[in-house]
Amino acid sequence: MKMRKNYWTKTILLLAISGFWSCSEKETTIQSGDLTLRVNDQLHTFLQSSKTGATDLMLGFQPTEYLIRSEGKLTDFDLLAYEETPVTTATGKGVRHTFLGKNAATGLTKQLILTVYEAFPNVITTQVRYVNESNQPLTYKSWVNNGYQLISQDEPPFWAFQGSSSGARADWIKPVNPGFYQENYMGMNSSDYGGGIPVTDVWNRNAGIAIGHTATVPKLVSLPTEMKMNEQVLSVGVREDFDYPSYLAPGDTLETLETFVMLHDGDYYNGLQQYSAFMQAKGLQLPTPEPAAFEPIWCAWGYERDFTLAEVLGTLPKVKALGIKWAVLDDGFQQAEGDWHTNERKFPGGDAQMKDLVKTIHSHELKAKLWWAPLAADPGSQLLVGHPDMRLYLEDWAPQYITWWDAYYLSPTHPKTIAHTQEVVNLFLKEWDFDGLKMDGQHMNAVAPDHNPLSRLEDPILSTEKLPEFFKMIYEQARNIKPNAVVENCPCGTCMSFFNMPHMNQAVSSDPTSSWQIRLKGKTYKALIPQTAYYGDHVELSDGGNDFASSFGVGAVLGTKFTWPADNPTASASYVLTPEKEQVWSRWFGLYNDKMLSKETYLGGLYDIGYDLPEAHVIQKGDTLHYAFYAPEWDGAVTLRGLTADTYVVNDYFHQASLGTITKEAPELTLKFSDFILIEAYPK
């Protein structure tokens, strides 16, 4: 949001007098691919799809961009002028449609700017400027852009992807039925949960609609999604709330963020894929793939915080024997959060003993990764005792808490925080010689506005926008020390901030609560950052603790936290690799290393994860298509989509069973399976 003295209206009125503007038409139609947006003489809009056979998206014109005041919504603005101009921006060539309207009751004018880009059909960006032309200040609470009321006749009416984060660690995609509401605030939703992907994508069998903002840094907006009881109408929108009362002085301008609406086929994968491409065109650079990030992982977290060196060292031969390539030392090695040198109880030989551990890991021909919670420091840590000014200050100067470790947030822009973090990265990768970092904690996804006067911020809210720069610093330093360093970002149960994604090279399902979450998170990351490794997390977190198939079928890196030959006696659960489990683990890791589907092309647009049954995912490797189908029980027909050759040989490659041949003209198979089936189809 920007506030400034008005110069827009004077310019617009001059253009109108000069004849550059026309407001003779009562309705204007804007076309972007198959997306049609009609604007009427009240600056209300009507969203439609021009695809053959498409049904209505909305019930006529609606006020979709408006202000919320204590008196209610300010929605109606009489059209005064309209201009259509060619533009060229970082996003490419396009056409900008500018409408000027006025609310006679308040004297407020509204400039509605809708832009269509040649390179992005089916996308229209939206920005609004409200100018107070009266001689009295106007109060306001919020602005809303792309506030659509969508209709559906399907069952369920819609499925929705919602990119917010909360302590509920809820599914990112859900069916939407009457009685549904989710606020989707992109700031802090609790002390240490916040941030995410600023997109809401809703779809049914007819079409998909995505909305969001196009800023290249995090913004504190909400994307509420609501379907009231006994209704089939879904409300979506992008909203920014302000402290109330907020005043717009005479002559001043309130400017919204640039937001967007997008039309797509299929499920949310197609919407997020297009959003990622649009943001890259705006300058957001995604990381190049790191080959080492696709190698399978063992993590010592099965022994939990009270692990012993003997337990870790004793497991390494079994890790190597299973074909796993990484060994991760997890939480418990440090003196405290913030004091990252070794604690003498675990490492009586100090840092030298940690170096010896890494040497031993390397001697087993394994790579070594170290767990770390950046931005966290315990209240009694030497770091905060010596430098209490390093923490983030809330508005009342209280600390911001990180619940899991009973720690405080450090200020991400404080020079001391940056220097401390650089020292820690140097310690881990250069002095101790680890090959990668497991950055961990839900707190990494977002921060509150920082009122610390030493954080060098013109506005406390800038801490939220500058957080990605903190992770960029870590990533660049890690890769400077070790050019092939793997930097994993594991924001524990949150929907990872899209703006942090450029500054890591291994995403992770991040404490999934089910196998379904492993698969849907995989599809999400494959849409947004398709070249970046996606790690399915420890298989022990999946359904039954052994569902490798959910990671394997979506192209995720396999991982485990097994213990061997015994658990740590203080651990909360048992993860012992029994002889029976070892046979299963060995088979899956062998198959993973043989296929390496995690490096191949995920074809997320072929199947709808909400409406298509059974659930299906496809990965293409060369001319072979690898299908993964999931259902508790299935006995019936499936269609193999994406076939291009005339005839294919089809095998159940997990059970090593032939399924015959099919043709692209008749691509149906009858299958019977429980939980999953993995199929490969290659041209005959």
Side-chain angles (χ1 to χ4, degrees):
M1 185 277 292
K2 296 179 180 177
M3 294 286 298
R4 55 188 171 189
K5 291 293 182 181
N6 172 43
Y7 62 89
W8 291 104
T9 300
K10 292 179 180 178
T11 303
I12 293 166
L13 291 176
L14 284 172
L15 287 169
I17 293 169
S18 302
F20 287 96
W21 291 73
S22 171
C23 58
S24 59
E25 297 294 331
K26 294 296 185 180
E27 182 181 312
T28 301
T29 299
I30 299 170
Q31 196 74 34
S32 177
D34 293 318
L35 176 61
T36 302
L37 187 65
R38 295 158 60 189
V39 183
N40 71 9
D41 58 0
Q42 290 291 298
L43 303 194
H44 297 181
T45 71
F46 186 6
L47 200 64
Q48 295 176 299
S49 170
S50 61
K51 287 183 69 70
T52 302
T55 58
D56 287 339
L57 303 174
M58 300 164 55
L59 292 174
F61 283 94
Q62 300 169 4
T64 54
E65 286 74 37
Y66 53 87
L67 287 182
I68 299 176
R69 308 179 67 213
S70 60
E71 299 89 343
K73 298 177 181 178
L74 195 60
T75 60
D76 299 337
F77 293 81
D78 295 325
L79 178 64
L80 301 177
Y82 165 71
E83 183 185 35
E84 179 180 322
T85 55
V87 295
T88 301
T89 70
T91 316
K93 293 182 179 180
V95 177
R96 180 165 293 156
H97 304 263
T98 305
F99 300 81
L100 177 66
K102 187 168 185 176
N103 180 270
T106 62
L108 194 70
T109 60
K110 172 182 176 180
Q111 187 183 23
L112 173 63
I113 305 167
L114 304 171
T115 307
V116 175
Y117 291 99
E118 293 177 5
F120 294 96
N122 302 313
V123 177
I124 299 175
T125 65
T126 304
Q127 191 166 35
V128 182
R129 299 186 181 104
Y130 298 96
V131 182
N132 184 358
E133 292 287 321
S134 75
N135 58 7
Q136 298 291 329
L138 294 174
T139 60
Y140 59 94
K141 291 183 175 181
S142 314
W143 60 255
V144 173
N145 281 3
N146 308 109
Y148 305 114
Q149 307 284 313
L150 304 173
I151 58 174
S152 175
Q153 300 300 319
D154 286 336
E155 183 58 41
F158 293 94
W159 279 80
F161 165 84
Q162 295 165 105
S164 60
S165 302
S166 74
R169 300 190 174 190
D171 295 342
W172 301 353
I173 69 168
K174 302 174 182 176
V176 176
N177 288 292
F180 183 93
Y181 181 79
Q182 192 162 313
E183 179 72 6
N184 295 315
Y185 179 51
M186 289 291 121
M188 299 306 301
N189 290 303
S190 60
S191 178
D192 50 358
Y193 283 88
I197 300 165
V199 175
T200 289
D201 191 306
V202 298
W203 74 95
N204 55 26
R205 291 184 176 90
N206 174 44
I209 295 292
I211 62 168
H213 75 71
T214 67
T216 55
V217 294
K219 295 291 184 178
L220 300 183
V221 298
S222 299
L223 294 92
T225 305
E226 181 177 21
M227 179 175 281
K228 295 180 180 179
M229 291 296 296
N230 303 315
E231 292 188 6
Q232 291 286 105
V233 176
L234 177 64
S235 300
V236 297
V238 182
R239 190 187 75 224
E240 183 174 9
D241 299 321
F242 301 90
D243 293 334
Y244 187 78
S246 290
Y247 293 93
L248 190 63
D252 277 2
T253 299
L254 171 65
E255 183 177 88
T256 73
L257 295 176
E258 182 186 69
T259 59
F260 71 88
V261 59
M262 178 195 304
L263 174 74
H264 63 82
D265 293 327
D267 68 17
Y268 77 110
Y269 175 89
N270 297 319
L272 290 188
Q273 188 178 55
Q274 182 83 321
Y275 166 72
S276 178
F278 190 92
M279 296 302 289
Q280 290 176 68
K282 290 198 71 173
L284 212 67
Q285 295 184 350
L286 301 184
T288 56
E290 170 52 52
F294 295 88
E295 296 176 329
I297 300 165
W298 171 79
C299 181
W301 185 238
Y303 295 113
E304 299 186 357
R305 282 177 175 157
D306 290 332
F307 73 84
T308 68
L309 275 178
E311 290 169 341
V312 175
L313 292 169
T315 314
L316 296 179
K318 187 64 68 176
V319 172
K320 180 181 179 181
L322 288 172
I324 297 171
K325 307 300 182 183
W326 282 90
V328 183
L329 186 65
D330 214 286
D331 186 4
F333 70 87
Q334 71 278 16
Q335 298 169 10
E337 280 69 56
D339 299 338
W340 296 105
H341 285 274
T342 52
N343 73 62
E344 61 181 15
R345 184 173 64 85
K346 296 281 183 63
F347 294 85
D351 287 4
Q353 196 169 9
M354 179 66 87
K355 295 178 186 179
D356 289 341
L357 171 61
V358 175
K359 289 179 182 177
T360 303
I361 293 173
H362 288 161
S363 73
H364 285 81
E365 298 179 327
L366 301 171
K367 297 180 180 70
K369 187 192 287 185
L370 186 63
W371 172 92
W372 177 35
L375 279 184
D378 295 342
S381 63
Q382 296 178 42
L383 182 71
L384 280 186
V385 169
H387 306 281
D389 60 303
M390 287 176 64
R391 67 171 175 81
L392 185 147
Y393 289 16
L394 298 178
E395 188 171 8
D396 60 359
W397 284 36
Q400 184 181 4
Y401 289 97
I402 302 171
T403 55
W404 177 258
W405 295 288
D406 298 321
Y408 292 166
Y409 272 85
L410 297 178
S411 168
T413 63
H414 196 302
K416 289 183 181 178
T417 301
I418 294 171
H420 160 76
T421 303
Q422 290 172 331
E423 291 171 1
V424 172
V425 174
N426 192 70
L427 173 70
F428 291 167
L429 299 184
K430 190 172 184 179
E431 296 184 32
W432 290 354
D433 200 28
F434 278 90
D435 305 294
L437 302 172
K438 175 187 176 179
M439 302 189 301
D440 192 46
Q442 64 268 14
H443 69 284
M444 298 190 300
N445 218 45
V447 298
D450 184 7
H451 295 262
N452 187 331
L454 300 179
S455 295
R456 300 181 176 180
L457 298 173
E458 294 180 6
D459 187 326
I461 205 171
L462 291 177
S463 62
T464 65
E465 298 183 12
K466 289 181 175 293
L467 180 61
E469 296 179 15
F470 176 81
F471 290 103
K472 179 181 180 182
M473 176 266 295
I474 292 174
Y475 184 69
E476 290 180 348
Q477 185 183 359
R479 299 281 284 183
N480 284 335
I481 295 172
K482 290 201 168 184
N484 301 114
V486 171
V487 179
E488 172 190 346
N489 188 311
C490 181
C492 298
T494 67
C495 186
M496 189 198 291
S497 169
F498 179 69
F499 308 99
N500 290 345
M501 292 182 192
H503 313 307
M504 56 95 202
N505 54 22
Q506 188 178 70
V508 59
S509 65
S510 180
D511 294 340
T513 60
S514 65
S515 292
W516 163 245
Q517 284 198 351
I518 294 171
R519 300 192 298 270
L520 72 86
K521 290 180 179 183
K523 184 161 191 169
T524 303
Y525 285 120
K526 299 288 185 179
L528 293 167
I529 48 174
Q531 302 303 313
T532 302
Y534 168 63
Y535 167 34
D537 215 329
H538 314 139
V539 69
E540 291 81 1
L541 296 172
S542 67
D543 295 351
N546 60 0
D547 181 12
F548 285 101
S550 281
S551 287
F552 192 95
V554 299
V557 177
L558 296 191
T560 178
K561 59 177 180 180
F562 72 82
T563 59
W564 186 84
D567 293 309
N568 182 291
T570 68
S572 60
S574 176
Y575 303 107
V576 173
L577 188 70
T578 63
E580 295 77 17
K581 286 174 65 175
E582 184 174 349
Q583 292 183 14
V584 176
W585 266 235
S586 179
R587 183 180 184 188
W588 278 108
F589 282 106
L591 187 63
Y592 177 84
N593 288 327
D594 178 54
K595 294 282 190 182
M596 288 304 295
L597 297 184
S598 58
K599 289 185 173 182
E600 304 302 330
T601 303
Y602 178 83
L603 303 179
L606 292 179
Y607 293 93
D608 185 326
I609 198 171
Y611 289 101
D612 286 339
L613 294 176
E615 179 189 338
H617 303 263
V618 187
I619 297 171
Q620 183 171 3
K621 182 176 183 180
D623 60 1
T624 301
L625 296 172
H626 295 80
Y627 296 83
F629 293 100
Y630 302 94
E633 297 290 337
W634 184 263
D635 187 355
V638 300
T639 299
L640 301 191
R641 299 175 186 168
L643 304 180
T644 56
D646 291 333
T647 305
Y648 285 79
V649 176
V650 184
N651 296 315
D652 173 352
Y653 63 88
F654 183 75
H655 295 103
Q656 297 181 335
S658 173
L659 299 177
T661 61
I662 60 170
T663 65
K664 67 179 181 180
E665 286 78 18
E668 293 80 21
L669 277 177
T670 298
L671 297 177
K672 184 176 183 179
F673 64 89
S674 299
D675 299 326
F676 74 93
I677 189 169
L678 301 178
I679 292 172
E680 63 181 7
Y682 55 87
K684 184 174 180 180

